Amino acid sequence: MTTAKRKRMPRAERERQMIEVAEQVFSARGYAAASMDEIAELVGVSKPMLYEYFDSKEGLLVACIRQSRTELRDVTAQATVGAATAEEALRRGMLAFFVFIRERRQAWSLLRHEMALIGTPAAEEIEQIRRQQTDLIAAMVSAYLADDDHLRAEATAQIVVGSNERLAIWCEQHEEVTPEMATEYAMDVLWRGLDPRQG
């Protein structure tokens, strides 16, 4: 009876289920210690089915990271829609980021343990997340601040993304720091450098 239900589950839904469980296991155990056997058992499928969907354990990890990348891009981009000023857009975007990492701790855990993945496709996926975020911020800086210096806009975006990643790691050690507090801490430092009136 259960087998029949599994076969009827649409492929996309089954894939989402596999990714969700894998994210939990990778986050809890780390990539190296995570077992495809355990993931398959928790999902309720055979290990060969996992390989059929993702080719390898690393392929499954890449799928987890890719999904998180898409979700993070969507929430931060959506957060800035309708912002009237550069300051509001930056604050909204950063708040969306800090809320995401608070609510999606398992996804964030995968992203911050990138050192173990250097030289792998998974590392490239993580770097792609940064590119998406920096592209979004660089475009915002150029549009809102009417800055024609593209190198300056790109450098600014790199600074914002890098500093927020470090702040997010620090926030993990301080549970009392809410996404709103983290956003204000970041704005206090970053906006001074961005606001042309401060010059």
Side-chain angles (χ1 to χ4, degrees):
M1 196 71 179
T2 304
T3 304
K5 286 182 180 177
R6 285 179 193 154
K7 287 181 179 177
R8 286 198 299 268
M9 181 179 285
R11 182 181 177 90
E13 185 179 343
R14 174 64 76 194
E15 186 171 312
R16 280 194 301 273
Q17 182 187 40
M18 291 174 173
I19 290 172
E20 181 180 334
V21 171
E23 185 180 282
Q24 294 169 3
V25 175
F26 286 139
S27 175
R29 306 200 184 289
Y31 173 69
S35 160
M36 291 290 270
D37 288 302
E38 180 183 5
I39 293 169
E41 183 179 350
L42 290 171
V43 175
V45 299
S46 65
K47 186 162 78 168
M49 182 178 282
L50 279 182
Y51 284 101
E52 178 187 335
Y53 275 65
F54 302 103
D55 294 326
S56 64
K57 183 168 81 166
E58 187 176 353
L60 180 53
L61 175 64
V62 167
C64 292
I65 294 172
R66 187 173 291 142
Q67 177 173 287
S68 297
R69 183 182 80 190
T70 300
E71 292 173 359
L72 179 58
R73 164 72 187 190
D74 289 348
V75 298
T76 51
Q78 187 60 40
T80 63
V81 172
T85 65
E87 182 177 6
E88 182 185 359
L90 184 63
R91 178 176 277 106
R92 285 188 187 184
M94 289 197 301
L95 178 59
F97 168 74
F98 288 116
V99 168
F100 180 88
I101 66 168
R102 171 66 66 98
E103 295 180 350
R104 296 291 313 280
R105 290 173 189 263
Q106 293 169 341
W108 170 242
S109 176
L110 294 182
L111 301 180
R112 68 180 171 77
H113 288 115
E114 64 183 287
M115 293 306 293
L117 306 171
I118 288 176
T120 69
E124 177 57 29
E125 287 295 324
I126 292 173
E127 185 56 31
Q128 187 61 32
I129 294 171
R130 288 196 184 93
R131 289 190 201 119
Q132 286 186 337
Q133 295 302 111
T134 53
D135 287 349
L136 180 67
I137 294 167
M140 180 196 74
V141 168
S142 296
Y144 281 97
L145 300 183
D147 193 341
D148 293 330
D149 186 343
H150 298 297
L151 281 178
R152 182 182 178 84
E154 289 177 16
T156 298
Q158 293 288 343
I159 292 166
V160 171
V161 169
S163 60
N164 280 333
E165 283 185 9
R166 291 304 307 170
L167 184 57
I169 292 170
W170 176 81
C171 286
E172 288 184 281
Q173 302 161 21
H174 297 275
E175 188 67 26
E176 70 275 18
V177 177
T178 65
E180 291 77 11
M181 291 168 66
T183 300
E184 290 309 311
Y185 292 156
M187 286 295 294
D188 285 347
V189 174
L190 294 171
W191 183 245
R192 289 196 192 103
L194 284 172
D195 187 354
R197 293 169 300 181
Q198 302 282 349

